[in-house]
Amino acid sequence: MVEVNAVTAYEVNDGIALITTDNPPVNALGALVRAGLVAALGMAMADAAVKAVVLSCRGRTFFAGADITEFGKPLQRPDLNEVIGALDALTKPVVAGIFGTALGGGLEVALGCHYRVAVGAARLGLPEVKLGLLPGAGGTQRLPRLIGPEAAVGLVVAGTPVPAKLALQHGLIDAIVDDAVAGAMEFARQVLADGAKMTRVRDREDKILPVRDNPAAFEAAAKAALKKLHGVEAPAACVESVRNAFMLPFEQGLKAERDLFVKLMMGDQSRAQRHIFFAEREAQKIPDMPAGLKPAPITNAVVIGGGTMGGGIAMCFANAGVPVTIVETSDEALAKGLERIKGTYQVSVDRGALTADAMAKRFALISGTADWNVISNTDIVIEAVFENLDLKKEIFGKLDRLAKPGTLLASNTSTLDVDAIGNATSRPEDVVGMHFFSPANVMKLLEIVRGEKSSHKSIATAIAAGKLMGKVPVVVGNCDGFVGNRMLARRTTENERLLLEGAKPQDVDAVVLGFGFPMGPYAMGDLAGLDVGWRIRQHRGVKAPVTDTLCEQGRFGQKTGAGYYIYEKGSRVPVPDPMVLELAAEKAAALGVKRRNIAEQEVFERMFYPMINEAARILEEGIAIRASDIDVVWVYGYGWPVWRGGPCFYADLVGPKVICAALDHYAEMTGDEGLRPAALLRELAATGGTFAAFKPAGKAAA
Ligand code: 3H9
């Protein structure tokens, strides 16, 4: 075996050269890997004894793509197209041996080979669109040639990897093997035995020529793939480039793809999406976590409360294969809860997203009881009763008496004091907040609230439990509303003010929708239920004149057929209601608030800047470990468009100076000193600093 360079090995057996890359953790195609591949391919080309080549990797996966950390920096040659060019130039058959994931540039390298074999558990895909990009090393030109433009456009625009079995059906791979390297070697031997036939993917035209003559089916597939993706640049570029595959000669298509790739890579949308990719992974890193500390195993779970939230959390465990018991106060409440869960699963089955068999298996993992003794033998308890501190304290006292030592005791609170809950037990070190977002079985965000006394082990176990359930966990400090809801409260205050000052719900919602949110704040309020905030305000003695009156009239939103909007029976479509405007005018007159036409820009600033200001306070107080954690919270919990990178990323784009000036203006205009810029925001504005570079110290990081 020859070490071509630090990450590339080369050996020849029976006339077959085996080139393996070993670049942990995911064999990203960084500069050294690319250089190693080009050198090794040169060796194979030059050696007359070599009749065929096998390309594979060591470690846990085949190439998982280009090295994303290199994007936006000066390119080091050879670039990926040169590597694939070297494959194209090879006059000996090349077989890729795929295992783990062949993603992005990794799949593009495999598409540069003459043959591809994969183990059954492998997944293959071009996920570049999720980074705001399109495949930039020939993927949009070769994939359509291999599997047809219609299938290709779906895969490229969705970016979702396909399992090996489906890849075989599509013609993306040639065989499924037991072992990637041994299987590829065997395949290469067979190719040689059959006369070393080889066709480069770039030369295949049988799947693209018919589409060039009749693109109707392709255009329909492209339209379907682009549905609901307005405002986002990458998907449309993906379609354009796949279309080029049958409209342009290969080299021209490749050049156009490269140009589109570079344009997207330099743009703000891709920068934002790459930021979130790394931010999501960074969020798992807790600065003071002792190295090597292992989370406690989670083999079973208990959820207290079988309401909408508790049921959703139980589904998360069941979906992860963990048996879970719901504890309810009565058999009736339990039956209702289990029925709701069954109904939710059934919707997935009806939609074709889940098989009936998988539903049965998952549902069988969920049991219910009214007997609290079940808690004595569980690894994790998540309490999901309604938001009442006294009730939660009482429950945690009971959990403390019943649970075995070391059980993680978590509260799914969205605002309450986790320290007060922890101190209701004799083991506050085992207590954390685990704030799920509704619907809990769908939303990815999990805020893990670190109490003053929560142990490292408890935090590590909560993170592991979250990952097990497929969530994106973010550790936050203990304060009213934690990160997400605390910021949201600022927007909600502005929503009420804007109504009084003359804004229409539909106009404000349109501004927020236009930014890329899936829903505007009023429509969102109607969906979540206006009574939730109303009860919290009553408890705190806070007033929201317009919304309180709507609630007094029984207008709680969608569930009562009216809220800020009206809803036709059975419909979720918000219909503007002139009565809400009249009510707002009436309240404004009583309060002496002057009504006026409010410009879109003002609406925009008031919807976003006060939240960014609160993010600055959260960072000052160390409630979030880093600014990018706040971005992750908003992208995965509140529908902040991923291609806008989250509130802190966005604030850095706009510039803290601009935001500070606007906030000072609105503080003066409304007389609300709470709108004054936070000290951190002023500091960033004065020094030209950024949220990204700010390093907080405090509660979440401990
Ligand atoms: C592309 O290929 C463009 C081309 O078309 C054209 C080029 C010209 N680069 O996710 P994990 C790091 S675009 C650099 O926790 P898992 C990651 O940050 C690329 N680093 O593991 C983490 O670091 P840390 C297309 C990368 O087992 C560590 O590896 N490809 C890359 O849960 C472990 O990652 C993609 O979009 C990378 N490409 O999941 C695939 N990938 O330990 C992106 C990972 O310091 N990657 N890292 O936090 C993934 O989807 C997942 O990482 C994967 C493994 C499924 C592979």
Coordinates of all heavy atoms in Angstrom, one line a residue, residues 248-293:
L248 N -28.6 21.9 -23.4 CA -27.2 22.4 -23.8 C -26.3 21.2 -23.9 O -26.4 20.2 -23.2 CB -26.7 23.3 -22.7 CG -27.4 24.6 -22.4 CD1 -26.7 25.4 -21.3 CD2 -27.5 25.5 -23.6
P249 N -25.2 21.4 -24.7 CA -24.2 20.3 -24.8 C -23.5 20.2 -23.4 O -23.5 21.2 -22.6 CB -23.2 20.9 -25.8 CG -23.9 21.9 -26.5 CD -25.0 22.5 -25.7
F250 N -23.0 19.1 -23.0 CA -22.5 18.8 -21.7 C -21.6 19.9 -21.1 O -21.8 20.4 -20.0 CB -21.8 17.4 -21.6 CG -21.3 17.1 -20.3 CD1 -22.1 16.5 -19.3 CD2 -20.0 17.3 -19.9 CE1 -21.7 16.2 -18.0 CE2 -19.5 17.0 -18.6 CZ -20.4 16.5 -17.7
E251 N -20.6 20.2 -21.9 CA -19.6 21.2 -21.4 C -20.2 22.6 -21.1 O -19.9 23.2 -20.1 CB -18.4 21.4 -22.4 CG -17.4 20.3 -22.4 CD -16.7 20.1 -21.1 OE1 -16.6 21.0 -20.2 OE2 -16.2 18.9 -20.9
Q252 N -21.2 23.0 -22.0 CA -21.8 24.3 -21.7 C -22.7 24.2 -20.5 O -22.8 25.1 -19.7 CB -22.7 24.6 -22.9 CG -22.0 25.3 -24.0 CD -22.9 25.7 -25.1 OE1 -24.1 26.1 -24.9 NE2 -22.4 25.6 -26.4
G253 N -23.4 23.0 -20.3 CA -24.2 22.8 -19.1 C -23.4 22.9 -17.9 O -23.8 23.5 -16.9
L254 N -22.2 22.3 -17.9 CA -21.3 22.2 -16.8 C -20.9 23.6 -16.4 O -20.8 24.0 -15.3 CB -20.1 21.4 -17.2 CG -19.3 20.8 -16.0 CD1 -20.2 19.8 -15.2 CD2 -18.1 20.0 -16.6
K255 N -20.6 24.4 -17.5 CA -20.1 25.8 -17.2 C -21.2 26.6 -16.6 O -21.0 27.4 -15.6 CB -19.6 26.4 -18.5 CG -19.3 27.9 -18.4 CD -18.2 28.5 -19.2 CE -17.9 29.9 -18.8 NZ -18.9 30.7 -18.1
A256 N -22.4 26.5 -17.1 CA -23.6 27.2 -16.6 C -23.8 26.8 -15.1 O -24.1 27.7 -14.3 CB -24.8 27.0 -17.4
E257 N -23.7 25.5 -14.9 CA -23.9 25.0 -13.5 C -22.9 25.7 -12.5 O -23.2 26.2 -11.5 CB -23.7 23.5 -13.5 CG -23.8 22.9 -12.1 CD -23.3 21.5 -12.0 OE1 -22.1 21.3 -11.9 OE2 -24.1 20.5 -12.1
R258 N -21.6 25.7 -13.0 CA -20.6 26.3 -12.2 C -20.8 27.8 -11.9 O -20.7 28.3 -10.8 CB -19.2 26.1 -12.9 CG -18.0 26.6 -12.2 CD -17.6 25.6 -11.1 NE -16.9 26.3 -10.0 CZ -16.8 25.8 -8.8 NH1 -17.3 24.6 -8.5 NH2 -16.1 26.4 -7.9
D259 N -21.3 28.5 -12.9 CA -21.6 30.0 -12.8 C -22.7 30.2 -11.7 O -22.6 31.0 -10.9 CB -21.9 30.6 -14.1 CG -20.8 30.7 -15.0 OD1 -19.6 30.4 -14.6 OD2 -21.0 30.9 -16.3
L260 N -23.7 29.3 -11.9 CA -24.9 29.5 -10.9 C -24.4 29.1 -9.5 O -24.8 29.8 -8.5 CB -26.0 28.5 -11.3 CG -26.9 28.9 -12.5 CD1 -27.7 27.7 -12.9 CD2 -27.8 30.1 -12.1
F261 N -23.6 28.1 -9.4 CA -23.1 27.7 -8.1 C -22.3 28.8 -7.4 O -22.5 29.1 -6.2 CB -22.2 26.4 -8.2 CG -21.6 25.9 -7.0 CD1 -22.3 25.1 -6.1 CD2 -20.3 26.3 -6.6 CE1 -21.7 24.7 -4.9 CE2 -19.7 25.9 -5.4 CZ -20.5 25.1 -4.5
V262 N -21.4 29.4 -8.2 CA -20.6 30.5 -7.6 C -21.4 31.7 -7.2 O -21.3 32.2 -6.1 CB -19.5 30.9 -8.6 CG1 -18.7 32.2 -8.1 CG2 -18.5 29.8 -8.8
K263 N -22.4 32.0 -8.0 CA -23.3 33.1 -7.7 C -24.1 32.8 -6.4 O -24.1 33.7 -5.5 CB -24.3 33.3 -8.9 CG -25.1 34.5 -8.8 CD -25.8 34.8 -10.1 CE -27.0 35.7 -9.8 NZ -28.3 35.2 -10.4
L264 N -24.6 31.6 -6.3 CA -25.3 31.3 -5.0 C -24.4 31.3 -3.8 O -24.7 31.7 -2.7 CB -26.0 29.9 -5.2 CG -27.2 29.9 -6.1 CD1 -27.7 28.4 -6.3 CD2 -28.4 30.7 -5.6
M265 N -23.2 30.7 -4.0 CA -22.3 30.5 -2.9 C -21.9 31.9 -2.3 O -21.7 32.1 -1.1 CB -21.0 29.8 -3.3 CG -20.1 29.5 -2.2 SD -18.6 28.6 -2.7 CE -17.8 29.9 -3.7
M266 N -21.8 32.9 -3.2 CA -21.4 34.2 -2.7 C -22.6 35.0 -2.1 O -22.4 36.1 -1.6 CB -20.8 35.1 -3.9 CG -19.6 34.4 -4.5 SD -18.4 33.8 -3.4 CE -17.5 35.3 -3.0
G267 N -23.8 34.5 -2.3 CA -25.0 35.3 -1.9 C -25.3 35.1 -0.4 O -24.8 34.2 0.2
D268 N -26.2 36.0 0.1 CA -26.5 36.0 1.5 C -27.4 34.7 1.8 O -27.3 34.3 3.0 CB -27.4 37.2 1.8 CG -26.5 38.5 1.9 OD1 -25.2 38.3 2.0 OD2 -27.0 39.6 1.8
Q269 N -28.2 34.2 0.9 CA -29.1 33.1 1.3 C -28.2 31.9 1.6 O -28.5 31.2 2.6 CB -30.0 32.8 0.1 CG -31.1 33.9 0.0 CD -32.3 33.5 -0.9 OE1 -32.4 32.3 -1.3 NE2 -33.2 34.4 -1.1
S270 N -27.3 31.6 0.8 CA -26.5 30.4 1.0 C -25.6 30.6 2.3 O -25.4 29.7 3.1 CB -25.6 30.0 -0.2 OG -24.7 29.0 0.2
R271 N -25.1 31.8 2.4 CA -24.3 32.1 3.6 C -25.1 31.8 4.9 O -24.7 31.2 5.8 CB -23.8 33.6 3.6 CG -22.4 33.7 3.4 CD -21.8 35.0 3.4 NE -22.5 36.2 3.8 CZ -22.5 36.8 5.0 NH1 -21.8 36.3 6.0 NH2 -23.2 37.9 5.2
A272 N -26.4 32.3 4.8 CA -27.3 32.1 5.9 C -27.5 30.6 6.2 O -27.5 30.1 7.3 CB -28.6 32.8 5.6
Q273 N -27.7 29.8 5.1 CA -28.0 28.4 5.3 C -26.8 27.6 5.8 O -26.9 26.7 6.6 CB -28.6 27.8 4.0 CG -30.0 28.3 3.8 CD -30.7 27.8 2.6 OE1 -31.0 28.5 1.6 NE2 -31.0 26.5 2.6
R274 N -25.6 28.0 5.3 CA -24.4 27.4 5.8 C -24.2 27.7 7.3 O -23.8 26.9 8.1 CB -23.2 27.8 5.0 CG -23.0 26.9 3.7 CD -22.5 27.6 2.5 NE -21.5 28.6 2.7 CZ -21.3 29.7 1.9 NH1 -22.1 29.9 0.9 NH2 -20.3 30.5 2.1
H275 N -24.5 29.0 7.6 CA -24.4 29.4 9.0 C -25.3 28.5 9.9 O -24.9 28.0 10.9 CB -24.9 30.9 9.1 CG -25.2 31.3 10.5 ND1 -24.3 31.6 11.5 CD2 -26.5 31.6 11.0 CE1 -24.9 31.9 12.6 NE2 -26.2 31.9 12.3
I276 N -26.5 28.2 9.5 CA -27.4 27.4 10.3 C -27.0 26.0 10.3 O -27.1 25.3 11.4 CB -28.9 27.5 9.7 CG1 -29.5 28.9 10.0 CG2 -29.8 26.5 10.4 CD1 -29.6 29.3 11.5
F277 N -26.4 25.5 9.2 CA -25.9 24.1 9.3 C -24.8 23.9 10.4 O -24.9 23.0 11.2 CB -25.2 23.8 7.9 CG -24.5 22.4 7.9 CD1 -25.3 21.3 7.6 CD2 -23.2 22.3 8.2 CE1 -24.6 20.0 7.5 CE2 -22.6 21.0 8.1 CZ -23.3 19.9 7.8
F278 N -23.9 24.9 10.5 CA -22.9 24.8 11.5 C -23.4 25.2 12.9 O -23.0 24.6 13.9 CB -21.6 25.6 11.1 CG -20.8 25.0 10.0 CD1 -20.7 25.6 8.8 CD2 -20.2 23.8 10.2 CE1 -20.0 25.0 7.7 CE2 -19.5 23.2 9.1 CZ -19.4 23.8 7.9
A279 N -24.3 26.1 12.9 CA -24.9 26.6 14.2 C -25.6 25.5 14.9 O -25.5 25.3 16.1 CB -25.9 27.8 13.9
E280 N -26.4 24.7 14.1 CA -27.1 23.5 14.6 C -26.1 22.5 15.3 O -26.4 22.0 16.4 CB -27.8 22.8 13.5 CG -28.7 21.7 13.9 CD -29.3 21.0 12.7 OE1 -29.5 21.6 11.6 OE2 -29.5 19.8 12.8
R281 N -25.0 22.3 14.7 CA -24.0 21.4 15.3 C -23.3 22.0 16.5 O -23.1 21.4 17.5 CB -23.1 20.9 14.2 CG -23.7 19.9 13.3 CD -23.3 19.8 11.9 NE -24.0 18.8 11.2 CZ -25.2 19.0 10.6 NH1 -25.7 20.2 10.6 NH2 -25.9 18.0 10.0
E282 N -23.0 23.3 16.4 CA -22.3 24.1 17.5 C -23.2 24.1 18.7 O -22.7 24.0 19.8 CB -22.1 25.5 17.0 CG -21.2 26.4 17.8 CD -19.7 25.9 17.8 OE1 -19.4 25.1 16.9 OE2 -18.9 26.4 18.6
A283 N -24.5 24.1 18.5 CA -25.4 24.2 19.6 C -25.3 23.0 20.6 O -25.7 23.1 21.7 CB -26.9 24.4 19.1
Q284 N -24.8 21.9 20.1 CA -24.7 20.7 20.9 C -23.5 20.8 21.8 O -23.2 20.0 22.7 CB -24.4 19.5 20.0 CG -25.3 19.3 18.8 CD -26.8 19.3 19.2 OE1 -27.2 18.5 20.0 NE2 -27.6 20.2 18.6
K285 N -22.6 21.9 21.6 CA -21.4 22.0 22.4 C -21.6 22.9 23.6 O -21.9 24.1 23.4 CB -20.2 22.4 21.5 CG -20.0 21.4 20.4 CD -19.0 21.9 19.3 CE -19.0 20.9 18.2 NZ -18.5 21.4 16.9
I286 N -21.4 22.4 24.8 CA -21.6 23.1 26.0 C -20.2 23.4 26.6 O -19.5 22.4 27.0 CB -22.5 22.3 27.0 CG1 -23.7 21.7 26.3 CG2 -22.9 23.2 28.2 CD1 -24.6 22.8 25.6
P287 N -19.8 24.6 26.7 CA -18.4 25.0 27.0 C -17.9 24.3 28.2 O -16.7 23.9 28.3 CB -18.4 26.5 27.1 CG -19.6 26.9 26.3 CD -20.6 25.8 26.4
D288 N -18.7 24.2 29.3 CA -18.1 23.7 30.5 C -18.4 22.2 30.8 O -18.3 21.7 31.9 CB -18.7 24.5 31.7 CG -20.1 24.3 32.0 OD1 -20.8 24.0 31.0 OD2 -20.6 24.4 33.1
M289 N -18.9 21.5 29.7 CA -19.2 20.1 29.9 C -17.9 19.3 30.0 O -17.0 19.4 29.2 CB -20.0 19.7 28.6 CG -20.5 18.3 28.7 SD -21.8 18.1 29.9 CE -23.2 18.8 29.1
P290 N -17.8 18.5 31.1 CA -16.5 17.8 31.3 C -16.3 16.8 30.1 O -17.3 16.2 29.7 CB -16.8 17.0 32.6 CG -17.9 17.7 33.3 CD -18.7 18.3 32.2
A291 N -15.1 16.8 29.6 CA -14.8 15.9 28.5 C -15.1 14.4 28.9 O -14.8 14.0 30.0 CB -13.4 16.0 28.1
G292 N -15.7 13.7 28.0 CA -15.9 12.3 28.1 C -17.1 12.0 29.0 O -17.5 10.8 29.2
L293 N -17.9 13.0 29.5 CA -19.1 12.7 30.3 C -20.1 12.0 29.4 O -20.5 12.5 28.4 CB -19.6 14.0 30.9 CG -20.8 13.8 31.9 CD1 -20.6 14.5 33.2 CD2 -22.1 14.2 31.2

